[in-house]
Amino acid sequence: MRQKCFFILFNFFFAVSIFSAPTFVAGDRVEVLDPKTNKSYSGKVLKVQPEGYLVHYDGYSDSYDEVVTSERISPMAEIKGVTFIKSEKKKSVSIMGNLKTGAILEDLEWAESSSMACWPGIRNVEFEGNQVFYWTDLPKKSTMIITVKPKNTNKRINLYAFSGFDPKYIPPKVYGAVSCEASHPTWIGQPDFTKPSEPQSVELRAVGNPYRVFIGVSGAKDITEGDYELIVELK
């Protein structure tokens, strides 16, 4: 009788362990434990294979790609204040948002630094409202088009994005990028805030290396709320 009970309990816990273990698909963001150093490294699942998951590690060449078992892999930890968008090759991903979920960045000097070159300081007025942060992946040999569409033409909502994003450094504490692009209404002299707000878009490219991309959706001066649609298209 004891043996039968033990057998039942063993099978129960074995089944629970199988169904409770996280599963991943290609494109998922993960962390992989290195048993030799007991450190975890961030990466992305490239392919699901019978023996495990083929993972590419952030900041490393393709030669470091490896197949890892489920015991070593876990979902990537969230970046506080930054929402992850899972981009898909040859597809568009659309999400809805509102500026009221963000906050004003008092310091915008980082954007005009030579290592960032997102926009000149004279254009800061276009980014002095609430900002909402996102990040996504830009695979090698691909082009990413990011567009923000304000739902209210009276709400001036602009956009910027930079590749080479390191999760440890978030604006305003960011010190460099591979490429940074910003989009806002053009003007000479003083901005005309009476003009209807229009969609804004930026484009980033990757050739030989993949990059993490940081996206900032920003209200112009005094714009702290407003619905918008954010579209990430990967070609």
Side-chain angles (χ1 to χ4, degrees):
M1 185 67 179
R2 288 182 179 178
Q3 288 182 339
K4 185 176 181 180
C5 290
F6 175 80
F7 181 76
I8 293 173
L9 288 172
F10 174 82
N11 280 279
F12 171 76
F13 287 114
F14 179 75
V16 169
S17 66
I18 291 177
F19 288 109
S20 62
T23 57
F24 305 95
V25 297
D28 281 355
R29 273 281 168 183
V30 296
E31 291 185 353
V32 178
L33 177 66
D34 182 352
K36 295 181 180 179
T37 62
N38 202 33
K39 293 182 179 180
S40 291
Y41 297 87
S42 63
K44 185 172 68 171
V45 175
L46 300 179
K47 187 185 299 184
V48 180
Q49 298 184 344
E51 62 272 28
Y53 301 95
L54 178 62
V55 174
H56 174 79
Y57 294 103
D58 294 332
Y60 291 84
S61 67
D62 296 349
S63 62
Y64 287 90
D65 294 355
E66 68 168 332
V67 177
V68 299
T69 58
S70 58
E71 292 81 9
R72 293 175 53 200
I73 193 170
S74 60
M76 187 175 183
E78 294 184 359
I79 303 173
K80 186 177 180 180
V82 188
T83 301
F84 176 66
I85 300 174
K86 185 178 178 180
S87 57
E88 296 186 58
K89 199 73 178 283
K90 298 182 179 180
K91 289 185 179 180
S92 293
V93 179
S94 175
I95 62 173
M96 308 303 295
N98 191 299
L99 289 177
K100 66 183 178 182
T101 64
I104 293 174
L105 277 184
E106 299 294 345
D107 177 13
L108 294 175
E109 290 186 6
W110 60 271
E112 61 178 308
S113 67
S114 59
S115 60
M116 293 298 297
C118 294
W119 64 82
I122 194 174
R123 306 300 185 194
N124 281 352
V125 67
E126 298 288 355
F127 301 92
E128 291 179 345
N130 273 8
Q131 294 195 14
V132 183
F133 298 152
Y134 303 87
W135 76 280
T136 189
D137 286 302
L138 175 60
K140 63 181 180 180
K141 299 180 181 179
S142 60
T143 299
M144 179 173 286
I145 301 172
I146 308 166
T147 302
V148 64
K149 295 181 177 180
K151 292 300 181 180
N152 185 336
T153 57
N154 293 325
K155 302 293 184 179
R156 190 145 162 169
I157 300 178
N158 300 313
L159 178 71
Y160 65 89
F162 61 85
S163 57
F165 165 56
D166 185 334
K168 294 182 293 185
Y169 302 103
I170 297 171
K173 295 181 179 180
V174 57
Y175 307 103
V178 174
S179 176
C180 184
E181 300 291 338
S183 182
H184 56 78
T186 58
W187 42 269
I188 299 175
Q190 296 296 322
D192 183 359
F193 289 109
T194 65
K195 288 185 176 181
S197 183
E198 297 180 347
Q200 303 295 329
S201 297
V202 297
E203 182 176 305
L204 296 172
R205 297 184 180 184
V207 181
N209 296 301
Y211 297 108
R212 284 177 295 222
V213 171
F214 184 93
I215 303 170
V217 176
S218 177
K221 185 177 181 180
D222 299 327
I223 304 298
T224 57
E225 67 88 21
D227 291 315
Y228 60 83
E229 179 184 11
L230 182 65
I231 303 169
V232 178
E233 181 181 6
L234 194 56
K235 296 182 177 181

